Amino acid sequence: MDTVERATAGESITDAEAARDELQAALAGVGITLPSLGLDGPSLAADAPRPLVELGRCAPDVARRLAAALRCTGRER
């Protein structure tokens, strides 16, 4: 991997971290915490990383609150 590829990979990871942080803040704004929210390790390990945001697992009540929050947001648009 050359210098340009490393810079691009670093930017991709930084972008994925920012997306994760935005999602975490938005969820917190409606009282939802996804404890496993993070970056997907295997997607970072490739020669040319294509980072993915891992939403992880949550309890059924959190899933229902998340679904309700999405339904409410969908009505506003």
Side-chain angles (χ1 to χ4, degrees), residues 12-70:
S12 295
I13 293 169
T14 299
D15 183 55
E17 290 170 333
R20 176 210 51 213
D21 294 346
E22 287 177 41
L23 179 58
Q24 187 173 34
L27 290 169
V30 294
I32 296 172
T33 300
L34 294 179
S36 301
L37 184 64
L39 298 185
D40 175 63
S43 70
L44 300 173
D47 286 337
R50 301 192 82 194
L52 298 173
V53 175
E54 174 68 49
L55 301 180
R57 296 176 273 185
C58 65
D61 67 310
V62 174
R64 287 186 180 98
R65 290 187 5 241
L66 180 56
L70 290 170

Side-chain angles (χ1 to χ4, degrees), residues 30 64-77:
V30 294
R64 287 186 180 98
R65 290 187 5 241
L66 180 56
L70 290 170
R71 281 192 295 272
C72 288
T73 301
R75 287 187 202 123
E76 295 173 6
R77 294 181 180 204

